[in-house]
């Protein structure tokens, strides 16, 4: 849909990358450096319907199919442009 990226759930994106094999559960697990995800848009960016938001690098198509819904639900698009994010929340 047309609108603005108002939220990206980093945990869901991380879980999707992990499911591709780019992470490990235990220190002894191997990491597959040939798989991963590139976010084409960031928070606050304007998007148009049909425009790619994510590029997925996987070894087999079934891996992409398995994470598709997780990635779709991780990115929220709203009609109104969201406010600017604060870089510094508090000085202690």
């Amino acid at each position: 849909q047309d609108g603005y990226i108002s939220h990206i759930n980093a945990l869901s994106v991380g879980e999707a990358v992990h499911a591709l094999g780019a992470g490990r559960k235990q220190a002894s697990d191997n990491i597959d450096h040939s798989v991963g995800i590139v976010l084409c848009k960031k928070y606050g960016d304007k998007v148009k319907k049909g425009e790619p938001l994510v590029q997925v690098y996987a070894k087999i198509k079934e891996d992409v199919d398995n994470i598709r819904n997780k990635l779709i639900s991780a990115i929220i698009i709203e009609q109104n442009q969201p406010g600017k994010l604060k870089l510094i929340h508090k000085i202690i």
Side-chain angles (χ1 to χ4, degrees):
Q1 69 186 36
D2 292 350
Y4 296 88
I5 304 282
S6 65
H7 183 75
I8 300 175
N9 185 321
L11 178 60
S12 293
V13 173
E15 290 171 347
V17 173
H18 188 268
L20 290 173
R24 53 184 167 198
K25 291 182 182 177
Q26 301 174 7
S28 60
D29 292 347
N30 289 327
I31 296 175
D32 188 347
H33 296 282
S34 67
V35 300
I37 293 174
V38 175
L39 296 173
C40 302
K41 297 290 182 175
K42 65 184 184 307
Y43 172 85
D45 283 352
K46 185 176 179 111
V47 296
K48 295 194 178 277
K49 183 177 181 176
E51 185 176 16
L53 304 177
V54 178
Q55 290 179 343
V56 178
Y57 295 90
K59 291 200 178 227
I60 56 175
K61 185 182 181 314
E62 289 77 22
D63 287 346
V64 178
D65 294 338
N66 291 337
I67 65 166
R68 180 183 311 274
N69 288 335
K70 183 174 277 297
L71 289 174
I72 289 171
S73 63
I75 301 173
I76 297 174
I77 300 171
E78 294 184 353
Q79 295 303 310
N80 298 322
Q81 187 172 20
K84 300 267 185 203
L85 293 175
K86 293 171 86 177
L87 292 177
I88 300 172
H89 294 275
K90 185 177 181 180
I91 297 175
I92 49 175

